[in-house]
Amino acid sequence: MTPMSNPPHWAVFTDNTSDKSAFVGRLMRGYLPDAFGVLRGKKAGLFSTYEVNRMIEEECLHDNKILTAATSQNLQSMSSGERKKALLNHLMAQGNGYLILDNPFDNLDFGSQETLKKDLAKLSVELPLVQLISRRSDILPFIQHRFRLEGKNLQCNKEKPENSDLIFPGLLHKLPESPEGHPFDGEFLIRFKNVSVSYESRHILKDISWDIRPGEFWELRGTNGSGKSTLLTMITGDNPKAYGQNIILFGRKKGSGESIWDIKSNIGYFTPAMIDRFSGYHSLEHMILSGLMDSIGLYVIPSEAQMRTTRLWLEVLGMDGLAGKLFHDLTQGQQRLVMCARAMIKHPLLLILDEPTAGLDDESAHLFVTLVNKIAEEQTTAIVFVSHRKEPGLNPRLIFQLTSEESGSRGAVI
C-alpha cells in the first residue's frame, strides 16, 4: 500500500499593494483561484488577530464568550499567545477543511512563536494551510507553493526581492522643530521605584524600578503576559494602579493633583489599533495637524506656524504632493509613517511606539525603523519602542527587559 502524502500548503506574500481583505473574503466564500482548486468544497477557518479582536468585542459588548466558553477566564485577561492558542483550538473543533493563517506570528514573543510553529507543523500533516505572510522570515518550512498578491492578482512563484538599503528621499531632510515647545529641566522624565501591580490573586509586576531621562532611546522587551502593556498604562496615566505608588511622571509625583491630560500632553503615542478610530474622511494634512490638538480629526483653524511644520513633516515622509489625499486611501505602511509624524509634531517629551511594525511587510517596516532612528538622532524626545520582533536596523541605546515570575515580572536594564 502506498503511504498517504501530506496535504498541500500555500504561502501568499503580501505587501502594501495587496488587497488582502478582498482575497481572504473570496477564499472564505469559496471563490478560489485555480491554484487552490483542491480546496473547493472545503470549509475555511480564519486564524488572524482580527478574529481574536472581533471575539473580544463580542465578549465586551454582548457577554458572549466564544473562545473561552468552557472556562471562567475572558479573552482580555489572556496574553496574545493564550488568545491565539484558544482560537486555534476553536477552529479545529469546528471541523474546518483548511485554515487561512493571516500573519500568524504577529504580536507573539519568541517562545509563543515557537510553540505555534510546532502546533501548525502537527496540523500540516492532516490539514491544508494557506499562510498570508508579510515578513520573509515568518514562512513555515513545510510550505510547498509560493505566490505573491499584487493588488487583487495572484502571481505564481514571485517573491519580492529584499531591499534593505531602501530609504525615502524625504528622510534625508532634517526633522522639523515643533511650533509648540515642551520645556523640561528635570533629570528624569519617568521614575519608577519598587512599583508592583496585582489584580486579585494575579501578580503582574513586582518591584519595578526604571528611570527614563530626556532624549533616551529605549526598547521595552518581555514575553506575552509579562506586563508590558500594564507598565505603559502606568506611564500614560490610564491605570489607577499607579496611585499610591512611588512614581514620578514628567517632574510630578503621581497623585499630586495632576490630571490625565497634564500627563498626556507630554506624550506622543502610537499603536496600530489607533488607526481604527480614524474612520472619517480626514486628509493627510489634517491627520498630522490633529496631533497638535490630540484630537481625532481637525476641528479648529491652524496657525501659519502649525501649517508650516506640517508641510515640513510631509516633505520628510516624501508625501508633500499628497497633502489633500484621504488618510484611509494611503497604504498601510504610509499610514504608520503618518501616525508617527502625528505623534511627533508637538515634539513631546516622550514618544511611545507600541508594536508599531506589526503586520507591515519587510520594506515598510524598514522605512518605519529608519524614521524612528532618525527621530532618536535628531530630536530631544525620549523614545520607548515595544516589539516582540527584533527589528533589523533598530538602534535603541538602552533595553528594559521584563522577566516573568510567579510573584510578578521583574525588570532589568540589559
Side-chain angles (χ1 to χ4, degrees), residues 68-125:
T68 59
T71 72
S72 59
Q73 196 172 10
N74 59 50
L75 282 172
Q76 281 192 307
S77 68
M78 299 168 73
S79 70
S80 296
E82 291 171 330
R83 291 170 181 172
K84 290 199 171 183
K85 180 68 173 179
L87 176 60
L88 187 60
N89 290 338
H90 172 75
L91 293 173
M92 294 310 301
Q94 301 304 302
N96 290 298
Y98 72 99
L99 295 185
I100 302 167
L101 311 174
D102 183 3
N103 283 314
F105 306 116
D106 273 358
N107 307 115
L108 295 183
D109 60 59
F110 179 78
S112 298
Q113 287 182 32
E114 291 303 300
T115 298
L116 180 56
K117 286 177 183 177
K118 291 177 182 177
D119 290 340
L120 293 175
K122 291 178 183 177
L123 277 180
S124 70
V125 177

Side-chain angles (χ1 to χ4, degrees), residues 15 85 104 123 142 183 188 314 357 382 384 403:
D15 60 22
K85 180 68 173 179
L123 277 180
F142 50 79
F188 304 104
L314 287 170
T357 57
V384 175
T403 302

Side-chain angles (χ1 to χ4, degrees), residues 54-73:
R54 185 179 67 81
M55 292 180 185
I56 290 174
E57 186 175 10
E58 187 69 19
E59 279 191 6
C60 294
L61 296 180
H62 307 294
D63 197 27
N64 180 21
K65 296 175 70 176
I66 299 173
L67 301 186
T68 59
T71 72
S72 59
Q73 196 172 10

Side-chain angles (χ1 to χ4, degrees), residues 129-333:
L129 303 174
V130 178
Q131 183 186 10
L132 302 179
I133 178 175
S134 299
R135 300 294 187 97
R136 298 171 187 85
S137 59
D138 284 350
I139 190 167
L140 292 164
F142 50 79
I143 298 284
Q144 309 104 323
H145 309 291
R146 302 187 180 197
F147 295 83
R148 183 161 200 89
L149 186 63
E150 296 184 350
K152 296 182 179 180
N153 300 316
L154 199 64
Q155 305 292 337
C156 183
N157 295 321
K158 188 179 180 184
E159 186 176 337
K160 194 172 184 178
E162 188 172 358
N163 186 359
S164 60
D165 297 326
L166 182 69
I167 187 169
F168 274 142
L171 289 178
L172 300 175
H173 291 285
K174 192 177 188 316
L175 295 178
E177 296 296 327
S178 171
E180 302 174 9
H182 282 260
F184 184 82
D185 56 7
E187 182 180 2
F188 304 104
L189 290 178
I190 308 294
R191 172 160 258 200
F192 284 66
K193 296 295 288 183
N194 302 319
V195 172
S196 299
V197 176
S198 296
Y199 293 96
E200 297 180 349
S201 60
R202 187 182 179 196
H203 303 290
I204 308 298
L205 301 173
K206 181 68 173 178
D207 294 333
I208 297 295
S209 294
W210 186 19
D211 294 334
I212 301 177
R213 294 173 173 82
E216 291 182 336
F217 184 6
W218 287 87
E219 184 177 2
L220 175 59
R221 294 180 182 173
T223 59
N224 293 124
S226 62
K228 296 188 299 299
S229 295
T230 299
L231 190 55
L232 292 181
T233 59
M234 305 281 277
I235 294 174
T236 59
D238 295 308
N239 195 325
K241 294 284 185 178
Y243 288 100
Q245 307 237 33
N246 193 353
I247 297 176
I248 303 293
L249 301 176
F250 307 106
R252 297 184 63 173
K253 177 87 164 56
K254 178 62 180 174
S256 61
E258 81 288 353
S259 72
I260 190 170
W261 304 116
D262 292 329
I263 296 170
K264 290 185 181 299
S265 67
N266 296 303
I267 298 173
Y269 180 84
F270 171 64
T271 188
M274 289 176 60
I275 291 176
D276 296 337
R277 304 177 197 168
F278 294 90
S279 56
Y281 288 83
H282 308 292
S283 71
L284 170 54
E285 184 176 61
H286 284 184
M287 279 294 298
I288 295 177
L289 270 168
S290 69
L292 290 168
M293 294 80 179
D294 290 316
S295 61
I296 300 176
L298 188 67
Y299 304 101
V300 298
I301 298 175
S303 68
E304 179 54 39
Q306 291 172 336
M307 290 294 298
R308 184 167 56 251
T309 302
T310 300
R311 288 192 289 267
L312 289 173
W313 270 107
L314 287 170
E315 288 181 7
V316 168
L317 301 182
M319 301 182 195
D320 40 320
L322 304 177
K325 191 178 177 81
L326 297 180
F327 177 74
H328 70 73
D329 289 337
L330 300 175
T331 68
Q332 187 181 60

